[in-house]
Amino acid sequence: MKQILLIACIALLSVFFSCSEETYDIVIKNGTIYDGHGGLPFQTDIGIRGDEIVGLAKNINCKECNILNADGLAVAPGFIDVHAHIEALPLIPDAASALHQGVTTVLGGPDGSSPLRLGDYLDSLTTLITGVNVAYLAGHNSIRAEVMGLENRLASPKEMSAMSDLATRMMMEGAFGLSTGLKYLPGAFSDLKEIVTLSKTVAQKGGIYTSHLREEGLGLIKSVQEAIDIAAGAGITVVLTHHKAVGKPMWGASSRTLAMVDSARMAGLDVRIDQYPYSASFTSLSILIPAWAMAGGRYEAFARRCEDPLLRDSIKNGIVFNLVNDRGGNDLSRVQFARFDWKPHLVGKTLADWAKEENMQPTMENGAELVMRAQLHRGASAIFHAMSDEDIVRIMRHPQTMIASDGRLTDYGKGFPHPRAYGTFPRVLGRYVREQGVLPLQEAIRKMTSMPADLLDLEDRGIIAENMKADIVIFNTTTIFDNADFVNPHQYPEGIIHVIVNGKMAVSDGLLMPDRHGTVLRGPAYQP
C-alpha cells in the first residue's frame, strides 16, 4: 500500500513539474545562438512566454507551443536600426521593408527632422500598433524652423530659449536625444554655440546627439572636429551618423576621421559611429545647391535669386563645385534620379541621361543648369554614387561603428528607393561577412544588436538572455543576401527565415504575418 502511495505521489509530482516546465508560447530548438555580446556562438533552446525570453536550456520540451526548428540556422537578437527614416509609418504600419531584413526596432527622427508634437505622434503610433518597435529623436531642423523659419542668421537669446524649451518638451514626451542635419536647411545656418546649447539641454535629460555632419566632402575633417567639440562642450554621447567620405578628393579620408574618433575617446569623450554598407547616398538633389541660395524658402526665394544674373552665376558656380568635388563625383552619370515629379520618366536614370535628352553635353556646367532647372520645378531626390569601397570597409571595421540603414520605410513596388531600404543588414551579413570576411559574424551581429541597444540604454533588448524582450531573428548564414540593387530596388533579401517581435511571429518562413506586434519606446526623460 505504501509503495502504491509513493508511486502515486511521484506521478503527481511528475505531472506538476512537467506542466511548470512546459508553459511556453514559442520554443526555438536546435539553433546556433549569437547572443549579441560578440562572443562565440553556442547551442541551446530558447523558451518564450508572453513578450520575454524565459528559458535558455538544452532540450526544452513543451506540448502546446509553437516549436521553431532552427537546426542549421543562426539565432540572434532582432536588429536595431539607429538611423531610419520612418515618416511613412502611419501609412505603412507593417514596416515590411524593415522586418524582412530582421529589423525589430527602429530609431526615427534622424538628420534633424522629426514631428514637433512628438508626444501626440507617439501616442498615435501606440494606437495604430506598428510592425516594429519605434523610438524617436527630436530634430534640430524641425525645432529651428518652428522658431526661426529658414532665416540665415544666428539665433537671438530669446530664440535660443524657445528652442531649448522645445527640445526639453520633446525629451519629456519621449525623445531619446537630439539629431541634427547641419548640411540641410535650416541647420546649415546654425553655429557651434547653438548646437552645444541645445545638446546640453538634451544631455541634462539623459539624451544622446546624432549628427548628419555639416560637410561630408571637402569639409569632412572640420565637420568631424565640430562633432567632437559638441561632445566636449555639451558632455553628451555623439554619433557620427551614416559616416562616410563623399567625393573623389576625399576618398581615403576615413583613416583620419577614425583616428580623430579614437583620440576623442582616449580623451574621455563618448563619440560613436553608424554606417550603411553602400557606396551611394540618397537625399534631395538640392544638396548640390549652396544653402544660402535657399535661405527664406527652398523654391520661391531660390527662384527670386535666380532672376538676379550675379546671384544666379554664384549659385551655378556653387553647384559646379559640388558636382566636381562632392556628391556629384565629377561625373553626371553618378547622379541618379529617385523621385522627380516634374519629369517622372527620368526616375532611375541619371543627370547625364537628362543632359543627353536635352541635347546638352554632360559637362559640369550643363549639369548645374539642370539642377537649377529641377529646383525651379519643386526639386527632386537622387542617389549619389560618390563613395569608395575602401572607406566603407575601413569604417565598418572600426570598433565603434554600428550598422544602420538610413533607409526609408518603403511600400513594395512603389517609387524608386535606395536599395538600403530592403537590404542593409543582410548585405553586411552576406557580402561583408560571408563573402569578403570583413567582420566575424558575431561581431557584425553585435554591431546590429547590443551596440545600438547600449547607445539607447535599452536594458531589455539587443541581447538573447533570460528576462530580455523576445525580439529575435533567425537566418541562414549560407544564403543570407541582399537582392535589392540600384536598377531593381524593390527586392526582399534572402535568408531571413523567422522574425519575432515582442514574443510574436512577425515573419514566419519568410512570409510577413498579418498581425503587428511592435511597441512605442520612450526615452529617458519621458513623463506620462
Side-chain angles (χ1 to χ4, degrees):
M1 185 67 178
K2 289 181 179 179
Q3 187 177 11
I4 294 173
L5 288 173
L6 180 61
I7 292 172
C9 288
I10 291 172
L12 286 170
L13 287 171
S14 174
V15 170
F16 174 80
F17 284 113
S18 173
C19 290
S20 67
E21 291 175 354
E22 296 174 1
T23 56
Y24 301 106
D25 299 318
I26 299 174
V27 172
I28 302 170
K29 298 186 69 66
N30 308 316
T32 301
I33 312 301
Y34 293 81
D35 65 6
H37 281 304
L40 293 175
F42 55 92
Q43 299 278 332
T44 196
D45 295 345
I46 301 174
I48 298 170
R49 185 186 307 125
D51 64 353
E52 291 187 350
I53 297 170
V54 295
L56 287 175
K58 292 188 176 180
N59 302 315
I60 292 178
N61 296 310
C62 65
K63 291 180 179 178
E64 297 181 0
C65 70
N66 183 9
I67 295 178
L68 298 181
N69 184 7
D71 187 24
L73 301 176
V75 182
F79 305 143
I80 300 173
D81 189 348
V82 292
H83 187 127
H85 290 271
I86 56 174
E87 296 85 354
L89 196 55
L91 301 176
I92 317 175
D94 59 15
S97 58
L99 282 171
H100 278 291
Q101 296 187 59
V103 172
T104 57
T105 300
V106 295
L107 179 64
D111 299 333
S113 178
S114 70
L116 277 174
R117 302 204 64 82
L118 187 59
D120 292 343
Y121 181 72
L122 295 179
D123 288 344
S124 73
L125 295 183
T126 300
T127 301
L128 178 64
I129 304 177
T130 55
V132 292
N133 304 312
V134 180
Y136 247 92
L137 296 166
H140 166 248
N141 284 352
S142 299
I143 291 171
R144 194 179 212 267
E146 175 71 8
V147 174
M148 300 178 61
L150 298 184
E151 294 189 35
N152 183 5
R153 61 175 176 79
L154 300 182
S156 68
K158 183 178 179 180
E159 289 164 337
M160 274 307 317
S161 178
M163 286 192 282
S164 293
D165 288 346
L166 263 176
T168 297
R169 190 196 77 197
M170 294 173 76
M171 288 296 296
M172 295 174 68
E173 289 176 344
F176 279 79
L178 180 73
S179 77
T180 56
L182 300 179
K183 181 68 174 176
Y184 302 121
L185 303 185
F189 304 140
S190 64
D191 64 354
L192 177 62
K193 181 180 178 181
E194 177 178 323
I195 305 303
V196 168
T197 299
L198 293 177
S199 296
K200 280 183 178 179
T201 298
V202 168
Q204 290 167 358
K205 297 295 183 181
I208 64 170
Y209 171 81
T210 77
S211 180
H212 182 303
L213 299 175
R214 204 172 291 273
E215 294 291 344
E216 295 175 316
L218 291 181
L220 175 63
I221 304 302
K222 183 178 179 181
S223 296
V224 170
Q225 186 58 57
E226 180 182 42
I228 292 171
D229 291 342
I230 292 165
I236 195 169
T237 295
V238 166
V239 180
L240 311 182
T241 200
H242 54 44
H243 189 43
K244 53 186 172 287
V246 173
K248 287 185 177 181
M250 293 305 292
W251 288 1
S254 60
S255 293
R256 186 171 174 188
T257 62
L258 297 178
M260 294 170 71
V261 170
D262 292 338
S263 295
R265 292 186 64 82
M266 289 178 64
L269 302 178
D270 189 3
V271 181
R272 312 186 194 190
I273 300 165
D274 73 52
Q275 176 204 37
Y276 55 79
Y278 295 87
S279 59
S281 61
F282 176 106
T283 191
S284 170
L285 188 68
S286 65
I287 201 167
L288 295 169
I289 300 172
W292 62 262
M294 297 177 286
R298 294 176 178 86
Y299 306 117
E300 289 77 8
F302 174 78
R304 288 195 297 272
R305 291 186 178 95
C306 286
E307 293 172 357
D308 183 317
L310 290 177
L311 292 179
R312 191 182 193 283
D313 190 56
S314 295
I315 293 169
K316 181 177 178 179
N317 288 338
I319 297 172
V320 168
F321 180 88
N322 287 329
L323 284 171
V324 172
N325 297 296
D326 204 272
R327 291 177 195 257
N330 201 26
D331 183 348
L332 300 190
S333 65
R334 289 179 176 269
V335 181
Q336 181 184 17
F337 291 104
R339 181 194 59 78
F340 200 176
D341 294 343
W342 181 42
K343 290 184 176 291
H345 69 282
L346 287 174
V347 169
K349 298 182 179 180
T350 69
L351 201 53
D353 293 325
W354 189 15
K356 182 178 180 181
E357 181 181 283
E358 299 289 338
N359 295 314
M360 300 167 69
Q361 292 297 312
T363 64
M364 298 302 106
E365 289 74 16
N366 286 338
E369 288 287 347
L370 294 176
V371 170
M372 294 169 70
R373 194 181 301 177
Q375 190 67 11
L376 290 170
H377 288 83
R378 312 302 290 185
S381 296
I383 297 168
F384 300 87
H385 300 263
M387 293 178 276
S388 77
D389 291 331
E390 290 77 8
D391 283 314
I392 292 171
V393 168
R394 187 180 295 115
I395 294 169
M396 188 179 294
R397 282 179 170 150
H398 192 274
Q400 295 304 321
T401 298
M402 299 168 285
I403 304 302
S405 74
D406 193 17
R408 298 180 182 277
L409 280 183
T410 300
D411 205 352
Y412 193 87
K414 294 184 180 180
F416 196 89
H418 191 298
R420 65 195 180 194
Y422 289 99
T424 294
F425 295 86
R427 183 178 181 86
V428 171
L429 299 173
R431 295 177 188 264
Y432 288 94
V433 172
R434 184 181 64 243
E435 293 187 350
Q436 299 181 25
V438 172
L439 294 170
L441 179 56
Q442 60 266 28
E443 177 64 7
I445 290 171
R446 186 176 77 92
K447 290 172 175 286
M448 303 173 179
T449 57
S450 67
M451 283 182 67
D454 177 70
L455 172 72
L456 300 177
D457 199 23
L458 300 178
E459 296 181 351
D460 57 357
R461 301 182 195 271
I463 296 292
I464 290 181
E466 289 188 2
N467 302 317
M468 301 293 284
K469 296 298 183 185
D471 292 344
I472 294 173
V473 57
I474 302 173
F475 63 94
N476 190 324
T477 60
T478 64
T479 64
I480 192 166
F481 200 74
D482 63 305
N483 289 317
D485 58 32
F486 293 103
V487 177
N488 297 300
H490 289 285
Q491 299 186 74
Y492 290 126
E494 296 178 29
I496 300 289
I497 311 301
H498 304 296
V499 180
I500 299 171
V501 177
N502 293 311
K504 303 294 191 297
M505 298 301 299
V507 173
S508 180
D509 291 320
L511 299 176
L512 185 72
M513 294 292 96
D515 294 329
R516 304 189 295 269
H517 307 290
T519 190
V520 172
L521 307 177
R522 311 268 184 163
Y526 173 59
Q527 294 186 2

